[in-house]
Amino acid sequence: MWGLSLFVPTMFIAMLFYAVCYLLKEPQRARWHRHVSRVWMNFYLFCIGCPLKVKGTEHFKKGKNYIIVCNHSSFMDVPVTTPFMPHANKTIAKKEFAAVPFFGWIYSLGAILVDRKNEQSRKQSYAKMKAVLKMGLDMVIYPEGTRNTTNEPLRPFHDGAFRLSAETGVPIIPALIFNTKKIMPPHTPFFMLPHIIEMHFLPPQLPNGLPVPVLKEKVFETMKEYYVANNVW
């Protein structure tokens, strides 16, 4: 109840600042959106007892952009990805998020929305991701496609992020989020447990002309090995 009662009023305050996005063009809009999100989420996470620790930001080089592939095991992953990436970015998200009152509006400002059941929508979203990279922003993708509600470290990856890297030459940075499943377990409704969140960035993986399946498997094994070695079950 505390988490929900705090989230709603702070969201409405943040919306006043998000409105500035309508006066800006990309990539300035993405930079402002990330700045507002970071201030809001720093305050919110502190107040609910879920402070965030970030490691590996040194892998992001100034003047370069990246495709960040991140594991996804809880709804708590959403407020820590876009705001706390070292560079301004866009994320790819299901269009259903846009239907969430008020929050959907905020989320859609910083995301590329896709209807996964519509082939035309998928093609358009892929073209938009290329445009995001072309303008110098990072692209954040959950390669598992949906939350991992299993007991496995990761769900199998989809091809999209790796095909995007292979076709554009933009390096992939693997990112691992720890402990969000402990805070909001997938099978326990209306539950939140305070816990430290950690987000670790691993060294960039260059496409180097690798076939998409090979690149995907390489990144998957890198992330799985790191997650198993660093997660406290």
Side-chain angles (χ1 to χ4, degrees):
M1 285 299 296
W2 167 244
L4 182 61
S5 62
L6 183 67
F7 185 85
V8 174
T10 57
M11 177 182 66
F12 281 113
I13 294 172
M15 285 176 67
L16 299 175
F17 296 93
Y18 281 119
V20 175
C21 288
Y22 286 107
L23 304 177
L24 303 173
K25 295 182 178 180
E26 299 291 7
Q28 289 76 22
R29 176 184 293 182
R31 294 189 180 109
W32 178 254
H33 184 276
R34 170 177 163 271
H35 176 69
V36 174
S37 299
R38 179 171 287 201
V39 173
W40 175 26
M41 283 298 110
N42 261 321
F43 175 77
Y44 179 72
L45 293 174
F46 173 79
C47 289
I48 64 171
C50 297
L52 175 68
K53 294 183 178 181
V54 180
K55 298 180 180 179
T57 56
E58 69 275 6
H59 299 308
F60 290 77
K61 305 303 180 184
K62 188 176 180 180
K64 289 190 175 184
N65 64 330
Y66 303 90
I67 297 166
I68 300 107
V69 294
C70 188
N71 65 317
H72 187 23
S73 58
S74 167
F75 285 126
M76 278 299 295
D77 299 330
V78 175
V80 303
T81 46
T82 290
F84 297 101
M85 295 292 162
H87 295 167
N89 62 85
K90 293 279 188 180
T91 188
I92 185 81
K94 296 179 290 186
K95 75 167 190 175
E96 289 83 356
F97 271 114
V100 179
F102 303 109
F103 180 76
W105 172 74
I106 293 172
Y107 197 67
S108 62
L109 283 173
I112 295 172
L113 300 177
V114 58
D115 181 355
R116 295 185 298 177
K117 299 178 182 178
N118 186 298
E119 184 178 353
Q120 184 64 23
S121 176
R122 294 198 301 270
K123 289 180 179 179
Q124 290 175 349
S125 66
Y126 190 75
K128 290 177 181 178
M129 287 193 287
K130 283 188 172 182
V132 165
L133 295 174
K134 191 173 182 179
M135 71 176 69
L137 296 172
D138 288 353
M139 192 66 227
V140 181
I141 300 173
Y142 298 116
E144 294 166 288
T146 188
R147 286 181 302 149
N148 178 13
T149 59
T150 73
N151 292 323
E152 295 297 320
L154 298 170
R155 288 170 58 98
F157 286 174
H158 294 283
D159 288 348
F162 310 98
R163 182 159 65 95
L164 187 64
S165 176
E167 292 183 5
T168 62
V170 175
I172 291 172
I173 287 189
L176 279 307
I177 300 176
F178 297 95
N179 301 326
T180 53
K181 188 180 285 189
K182 299 174 184 176
I183 296 168
M184 294 183 70
H187 303 298
T188 308
F190 206 71
F191 177 90
M192 180 179 286
L193 178 71
H195 202 292
I196 294 174
I197 303 171
E198 294 194 18
M199 183 160 58
H200 298 189
F201 298 110
L202 309 187
Q205 301 285 326
L206 300 175
N208 287 335
L210 292 174
V212 170
V214 175
L215 179 61
K216 179 175 68 173
E217 184 65 19
K218 179 183 177 184
V219 174
F220 179 88
E221 290 300 329
T222 298
M223 292 177 66
K224 180 179 178 181
E225 181 179 339
Y226 188 92
Y227 188 88
V228 170
N230 290 272
N231 186 50
V232 179
W233 294 85

